[in-house]
Amino acid sequence: MTSRRIISNEKTVLDKDDATDSSPSASKKSNISPVVSHSVIVKLLAFTLAMMIGPLAAYYLTLQTIFKGNSVWAGATAAITANVVLIAYVVVAFYEDQSESLAAAEEDKKAK
């Protein structure tokens, strides 16, 4: 088996200088801002709390007050509540994604 010889005037990967050889963007400042915006995280946390609290609250509130101890109907109400929260999250995410693409198109239009 043969191995590659390192020629003395050839730089190895470890010897290369990032500022000049390997990376053209090494001299630029890196962007350390978060990839996901603050509003997206807040919406996700709000819908997570709604998904945990909503169905449980619907179950226990309707179990004794509306359905008089019938746990099947109270469970169905909790399931419907969970589905409503899920559909609301999908709708909010859809409109948020649509607004981001419209903003990007507007920005491209201004650049031209």
Side-chain angles (χ1 to χ4, degrees):
M1 215 191 302
T2 61
S3 62
R4 183 170 183 254
R5 269 188 314 164
I6 297 175
I7 302 171
S8 62
N9 62 357
E10 183 179 318
K11 288 185 177 182
T12 64
V13 175
L14 298 175
D15 294 334
K16 286 186 179 181
D17 188 12
D18 282 340
T20 59
D21 293 338
S22 64
S23 177
S25 64
S27 61
K28 297 179 186 176
K29 289 188 96 177
S30 63
N31 184 6
I32 59 170
S33 64
V35 176
V36 181
S37 68
H38 179 71
S39 64
V40 172
I41 294 172
V42 168
K43 287 176 192 172
L44 181 63
L45 288 175
F47 278 103
T48 300
L49 287 173
M51 188 59 108
M52 290 187 311
I53 295 170
L56 286 173
Y59 176 79
Y60 286 112
L61 287 175
T62 60
L63 182 63
Q64 296 300 324
T65 57
I66 296 174
F67 300 119
K68 307 293 185 217
N70 189 349
S71 62
V72 173
W73 288 105
T77 304
I80 290 169
T81 305
N83 284 316
V84 166
V85 171
L86 181 64
I87 290 169
Y89 177 73
V90 169
V91 168
V92 167
F94 177 76
Y95 281 120
E96 180 180 336
D97 187 42
Q98 191 176 29
S99 67
E100 286 178 1
S101 63
L102 290 175
E106 185 73 26
E107 192 174 299
D108 287 343
K109 193 184 288 186
K110 285 182 181 179
K112 290 181 181 180

